[in-house]
Amino acid sequence: MRTKIKFSSVVGCLVLVILVVPLLIVIVTSFGEESAISFPIKGFTFEWYANVFQQPDFVEGLKMSSIVAILASFLALLVGIPIVYVLTRFDIHHKDWFQTIFLSPALIPEIVIGFALYQALVISLQLPLFISLIVGHFLLCLPYVVRLITAGMMEFDESIEEAAWMVGYDKITTFFKVVIPNIKQSVVAAFILSFITSFNNIPISLFLNGPDLNMLPTSILNYLENNYDPTVSAVSVILMIITASIMILAEKYLGLNKLT
């Protein structure tokens, strides 16, 4: 038993090192004075962080990534919560098929989804890029919403819902006043995971962006085509800070640490 515990601890430490060391290197290189990314660094400066906000593509990309992530996450919740409620509360033929369909975007490579949507929505239907981008990120977020809301619904005691019916609530009122409050943590967790997934996505955004519609990750790739200075490290650190801040605030103020 002790040997197994030691082996697991060693593997865990190795995985942690593999994950953390590259991130630490990115953080360190973002403060280097040299005009090209290098490690170890020579000198110390905040110049590259200032340069991030002097790049219009980065600033606009940050705004667009935030807008798309928020809209796609909300849309995934608006669609996903009723779907999960129906699948978990009603006897539906071929229920497994429906579950597979709604989870299928997670099984398909994102680059394939992006290319397929570009061909179908932009080329064939000639929809605006922004709408196509929202659709693509909605499909990206939906599986996460379905999984987390399903977990919340499975833990929710049906007898509470039935008690609400007995005291005179109709099903719609019960859904909004009883069910949703009782799965609030799952809803918040689904939104946060969807937001982070959408915000950091590259493959779908690559196909559905344009000259006036760039997401932050694609703006970074475009910048890298002609530049390899520590600005890239700085903007990567900013992305990490945004993601970590969302998770920390959610855990502290929304009780996600209690989500099981």
Side-chain angles (χ1 to χ4, degrees), residues 205-232:
S205 301
L206 274 175
F207 281 99
L208 301 175
N209 67 358
D212 300 320
L213 188 67
N214 264 322
M215 305 284 279
L216 183 56
T218 55
S219 296
I220 295 172
L221 287 179
N222 293 336
Y223 185 86
L224 272 171
E225 289 181 0
N226 301 307
N227 305 275
Y228 192 66
D229 58 52
T231 302
V232 179

Side-chain angles (χ1 to χ4, degrees), residues 8-238:
S8 299
S9 300
V10 170
V11 172
C13 290
L14 285 175
V15 171
L16 186 63
V17 168
I18 292 171
L19 288 173
V20 172
V21 170
L23 296 179
L24 290 176
I25 291 175
V26 170
I27 293 171
V28 171
T29 57
S30 70
F31 296 104
E33 286 187 340
E34 294 184 310
S35 59
I37 297 174
S38 62
F39 184 84
I41 62 173
K42 296 179 180 179
F44 186 91
T45 180
F46 287 99
E47 172 190 351
W48 308 110
Y49 285 91
N51 193 43
V52 169
F53 296 99
Q54 293 172 0
Q55 301 294 323
D57 286 348
F58 286 164
V59 175
E60 291 303 315
L62 178 60
K63 291 179 183 177
M64 186 56 62
S65 290
S66 300
I67 291 170
V68 170
I70 290 171
L71 291 177
S73 300
F74 270 122
L75 185 58
L77 286 172
L78 288 174
V79 174
I81 293 175
I83 285 173
V84 172
Y85 182 76
V86 170
L87 290 176
T88 55
R89 287 293 185 263
F90 298 97
D91 186 17
I92 300 175
H93 291 296
H94 307 300
K95 182 183 295 187
D96 292 340
W97 292 8
F98 286 107
Q99 290 175 334
T100 301
I101 290 171
F102 295 125
L103 292 173
S104 61
L107 307 175
I108 303 172
E110 292 175 12
I111 196 166
V112 174
I113 294 175
F115 179 69
L117 289 176
Y118 178 76
Q119 291 290 328
L121 302 183
V122 179
I123 301 298
S124 300
L125 298 179
Q126 297 184 350
L127 293 179
L129 280 175
F130 181 74
I131 294 176
S132 302
L133 193 61
I134 295 296
V135 172
H137 281 248
F138 159 74
L139 292 176
L140 182 70
C141 296
L142 186 60
Y144 297 100
V145 170
V146 170
R147 286 175 178 173
L148 286 168
I149 300 301
T150 298
M153 288 297 298
M154 297 301 290
E155 292 179 0
F156 174 48
D157 188 353
E158 277 188 68
S159 63
I160 299 175
E161 191 176 352
E162 293 170 356
W165 296 340
M166 292 177 64
V167 298
Y169 282 8
D170 58 42
K171 291 190 176 182
I172 294 178
T173 303
T174 301
F175 177 76
F176 286 104
K177 289 192 174 183
V178 178
V179 176
I180 295 298
N182 277 279
I183 62 168
K184 179 181 68 174
Q185 290 182 335
S186 295
V187 172
V188 174
F191 177 81
I192 290 173
L193 185 56
S194 296
F195 179 91
I196 292 172
T197 302
S198 171
F199 188 86
N200 294 317
N201 176 264
I202 293 178
I204 292 176
S205 301
L206 274 175
F207 281 99
L208 301 175
N209 67 358
D212 300 320
L213 188 67
N214 264 322
M215 305 284 279
L216 183 56
T218 55
S219 296
I220 295 172
L221 287 179
N222 293 336
Y223 185 86
L224 272 171
E225 289 181 0
N226 301 307
N227 305 275
Y228 192 66
D229 58 52
T231 302
V232 179
S233 296
V235 74
S236 298
V237 172
I238 291 171

